[in-house]
Amino acid sequence: MKKCFVFLFIIFHLAPYAQQQPKLVVGLVVDQMRWDFLYRYQDRYTAHGFKRLLAEGFSCENTMIPYTPTYTAAGHSCVYTGSVPALHGIMGNNWYDKAQKKVVYCTDDFSVEGVGSKTAAGKMSPRNMWATTITDELRLATNFRNKTIAIALKDRGAILPGGHTANGAYWFDNALGGWMSSTFYMQQLPAWVQSFNSRKLPDGYLQQNWNTLFPINTYTHSTSDSNAYENKLGGVSNSFPHITAHLTGANKYEVFKATPFGDTYTLEMAKAAIEGEQLGKSGYTDFLTVSLSSPDYVGHSFGPNSIEIEDAYLRLDKELASFFTHLDKTIGKGQYLFFLTADHGVAHNPGFLADRKIPAGVVDNAPVQKALTDGLQKKFGIQGIISSYINYQFYLNDSLINANKLDKKEIKNFIASHMLQQTSVLAVVDLENLANETLPQKLKTMLANSYNQKLSGQVQVISKPQWFENWRLGTTHGLWNPYDAHIPLVFMGWGVKPGKLNREVYMSDIAPTLSALLKVQMPNASVGDVITEVIGATPSSTNLSGVKK
């Protein structure tokens, strides 16, 4: 009788209690995905990809990036820390390090070595990121009994979302033609990764060549295939079919990343990770972070109005459908929490817009910078006043300025006067005196969220909408404008009811919202808010994310 009572207690109390948390959280960041791509090609999306996501999920339609410049590393960091560059320390993909007097890369770590490949691509870790991530906080909440696995073709797209405590972060190495990691995480690749690499899938994808999924004359959302706005894939052709089968050497893998097959490969790796790491079966909430880097490579090469991008998203829609089906079967429908977002958006090609009478342009930055450098030398009598210009910021050589007793304010004014003469420039801002600058409050806030006394430059250049520096073919991103800062955000699965929200929310709100859903502490530099409309659909529970199932 006593045994029967215990059995009934477990069935009716502990089992339902354990279901109050998802078995797995999957975060999918689509690199360079504009918000409107959720809808632009919807007439040919399948019922089980993006359409399923919107039908079953909760979409925050007006999600904005709260800082500038808008780059990949800063975006992934913001999504997972709930913070901004001013606080988490990832200023962009690269920035000028004042102490080292050189440009540094976001995930550089020369104290570690590559695992799986001994190239410099392995000297990477999250040590430059000062804050914890939601993935870190979940690991802390479970006393490190759950798992976090992070995957992306780009090192920064895997390393930063995985946080400081990931069980494994994997990125693509051109020399290897497969997935690698670093000694920050492990001493050798797990057997399942080695087995996956042995399949040499990128070589097989390249042999298929890249042609359109549908007849090319049906791609009515895009500019004609052969035009003057696009780069040539692999230096060969900017039009379909893209012949990749003949490529050789490490360069072929660089081309591979700029095809939709990169998404297929990454999601296949994600499926392998679920099996290889037994994600969702630990008895705690595991976390899988996936970043799809190929849309960014394709977009940079061809632009958002290209047939290549349209075809890439039609193919991605099918890959998403396959991935959702896999999650349903392996984890269980309703047992995983999924969210999709982007690290930034992207601008149209300036030439494409100018040809359609929309104000846009490109400035050749080299002569502008040379004229400024020469002017400063003539005015103040010394060389080297500017240490670096990167991320639209001028870094001044403070030690040189102080040693020569120069007037720093006068130098800043000289730079501003010179740059304001350029057609492309909208404003020049003294970041050290941002509070006194006359700017729209929203733009001032974005600049403040990116300013760090140790890591930022002193003078910020703000370009006119749709003006690029040195980028005539394809496209780029990085500015405050909505085309770069308006991103998708859709939650689906465990604890989420279908819905749509049109009020403005921010990229920095994602991690606090996940923290509230999972009932764990938000990351330690988080400045975002919980999106309460998403949380309102959550089952009531006082359970912590770590109850043994």
Side-chain angles (χ1 to χ4, degrees):
M1 182 70 179
K2 187 176 180 180
K3 291 181 179 179
C4 182
F5 175 79
V6 171
F7 177 76
L8 291 173
F9 179 83
I10 292 172
I11 293 295
F12 291 106
H13 292 277
L14 295 187
Y17 187 68
Q19 294 302 312
Q20 296 300 327
Q21 293 297 317
K23 294 179 180 179
L24 177 67
V25 180
V26 180
L28 184 67
V29 176
V30 183
D31 200 323
Q32 203 188 103
M33 183 176 179
R34 292 163 55 116
W35 166 80
D36 58 323
F37 287 163
L38 281 175
Y39 301 100
R40 181 166 180 168
Y41 313 120
Q42 201 172 64
D43 58 337
R44 289 210 287 196
Y45 284 158
T46 66
H48 307 293
F50 286 115
K51 283 184 177 179
R52 174 183 172 181
L53 182 63
L54 290 169
E56 297 182 13
F58 190 95
S59 181
C60 301
E61 297 284 281
N62 200 18
T63 304
M64 306 298 294
I65 297 176
Y67 59 84
T68 185
T70 47
Y71 291 128
T72 294
H76 283 80
S77 299
C78 182
V79 168
Y80 285 90
T81 64
S83 192
V84 291
L87 301 174
H88 61 57
I90 301 297
M91 311 308 293
N93 297 335
N94 304 274
W95 59 88
Y96 182 76
D97 188 291
K98 299 174 185 178
Q100 299 183 64
K101 300 186 186 307
K102 68 175 185 177
V103 173
V104 297
Y105 180 64
C106 56
T107 53
D108 273 345
D109 185 350
F110 297 103
S111 71
V112 301
E113 299 293 335
V115 172
S117 173
K118 295 303 180 183
T119 65
K123 293 182 175 295
M124 303 287 168
S125 86
R127 287 197 173 106
N128 289 331
M129 183 170 61
W130 297 342
T132 62
T133 58
I134 179 60
T135 49
D136 287 325
E137 295 297 337
L138 186 58
R139 292 274 286 150
L140 287 164
T142 66
N143 199 25
F144 305 97
R145 288 173 288 185
N146 75 324
K147 286 186 177 181
T148 293
I149 301 295
I151 296 166
L153 293 179
K154 293 182 181 180
D155 47 50
R156 55 190 181 270
I159 291 168
L160 299 170
H164 304 275
T165 60
N167 301 84
Y170 303 99
W171 55 95
F172 189 76
D173 178 49
N174 285 359
L176 175 67
W179 300 99
M180 68 175 302
S181 189
S182 81
T183 52
F184 180 87
Y185 305 97
M186 62 194 72
Q187 294 303 310
Q188 65 179 21
L189 292 178
W192 69 266
V193 178
Q194 295 181 45
S195 176
F196 190 88
N197 280 343
S198 70
R199 296 165 64 188
K200 296 293 182 182
L201 292 178
D203 295 316
Y205 292 131
L206 287 169
Q207 287 299 313
Q208 296 177 32
N209 298 318
W210 178 18
N211 209 342
T212 53
L213 194 60
F214 302 101
I216 197 166
N217 63 346
T218 65
Y219 285 70
T220 57
H221 295 290
S222 307
T223 313
S224 60
D225 186 34
S226 183
N227 59 70
Y229 315 120
E230 301 175 353
N231 280 294
K232 295 179 178 180
L233 187 66
V236 177
S237 172
N238 68 347
S239 59
F240 285 101
H242 293 291
I243 306 302
T244 56
H246 69 280
L247 295 172
T248 58
N251 179 60
K252 70 178 181 180
Y253 296 123
E254 197 65 39
V255 175
F256 162 71
K257 292 186 294 186
T259 72
F261 303 126
D263 292 339
T264 306
Y265 181 62
T266 303
L267 289 172
E268 286 300 310
M269 176 65 170
K271 294 173 187 176
I274 292 171
E275 180 181 353
E277 296 289 345
Q278 293 291 285
L279 298 180
K281 297 180 180 179
S282 67
Y284 301 90
T285 298
D286 295 324
F287 210 123
L288 174 63
T289 81
V290 183
S291 180
L292 298 179
S293 307
S294 288
D296 186 72
Y297 290 117
V298 175
H300 276 301
S301 292
F302 300 101
N305 218 62
S306 64
I307 292 177
E308 282 80 1
I309 275 291
E310 183 174 353
D311 192 66
Y313 276 89
L314 294 177
R315 289 175 179 272
L316 175 55
D317 176 66
K318 291 180 177 292
E319 296 298 338
L320 272 182
S322 172
F323 189 54
F324 290 152
T325 299
H326 186 82
L327 290 171
D328 291 343
K329 290 180 179 179
T330 57
I331 308 299
K333 190 171 183 180
Q335 298 300 307
Y336 59 89
L337 172 61
F338 176 91
F339 71 91
L340 178 146
T341 190
D343 53 348
H344 53 74
V346 70
H348 280 292
N349 176 273
F352 163 76
L353 291 184
D355 287 346
R356 286 148 183 84
K357 302 180 181 179
I358 297 175
V362 179
V363 60
D364 185 354
N365 211 36
V368 174
Q369 296 297 318
K370 185 178 187 308
L372 174 59
T373 301
D374 292 346
L376 284 168
Q377 183 179 351
K378 182 177 180 181
K379 171 73 174 176
F380 297 98
I382 58 172
Q383 293 180 329
I385 290 175
I386 295 174
S387 294
S388 183
Y389 177 72
I390 188 171
N391 299 333
Y392 307 98
Q393 294 177 5
F394 287 102
Y395 287 76
L396 303 183
N397 189 334
D398 285 330
S399 58
L400 181 69
I401 291 169
N402 293 334
N404 287 275
K405 299 180 179 180
L406 301 178
D407 187 327
K408 191 173 181 181
K409 183 177 180 180
E410 189 178 359
I411 291 171
K412 291 178 180 178
N413 288 339
F414 186 93
I415 293 172
S417 177
H418 176 83
M419 294 306 297
L420 285 169
Q421 295 176 43
Q422 312 309 315
T423 304
S424 62
V425 175
L426 176 70
V428 181
V429 176
D430 181 352
L431 290 173
E432 293 177 310
N433 295 284
L434 183 58
N436 298 320
E437 294 284 357
T438 304
L439 289 169
Q441 187 56 49
K442 187 168 186 175
L443 181 52
K444 185 180 285 191
T445 299
M446 293 177 79
L447 291 171
N449 284 340
S450 298
Y451 177 67
N452 180 280
Q453 289 175 309
K454 289 186 174 182
L455 302 178
S456 295
Q458 291 96 331
V459 179
Q460 177 90 40
V461 176
I462 301 173
S463 298
K464 290 178 182 176
Q466 202 53 67
W467 274 81
F468 288 179
E469 292 180 350
N470 311 322
W471 202 295
R472 297 183 184 278
L473 297 179
T475 191
T476 192
H477 54 85
L479 302 180
W480 65 271
N481 309 77
Y483 48 75
D484 283 350
H486 186 192
I487 56 173
L489 174 59
V490 190
F491 296 88
M492 185 186 80
W494 178 89
V496 178
K497 292 182 180 178
K500 186 176 290 188
L501 177 66
N502 287 305
R503 74 174 174 89
E504 189 167 286
V505 298
Y506 301 96
M507 176 189 269
S508 51
D509 297 335
I510 298 171
T513 302
L514 291 170
S515 296
L517 279 163
L518 299 173
K519 295 178 176 57
V520 300
Q521 182 61 272
M522 65 181 64
N524 61 16
S526 177
V527 293
D529 296 315
V530 174
I531 305 172
T532 54
E533 292 86 348
V534 176
I535 299 302
T538 310
S540 60
S541 168
T542 58
N543 189 20
L544 292 176
S545 174
V547 172
K548 190 73 174 176
K549 295 181 176 66

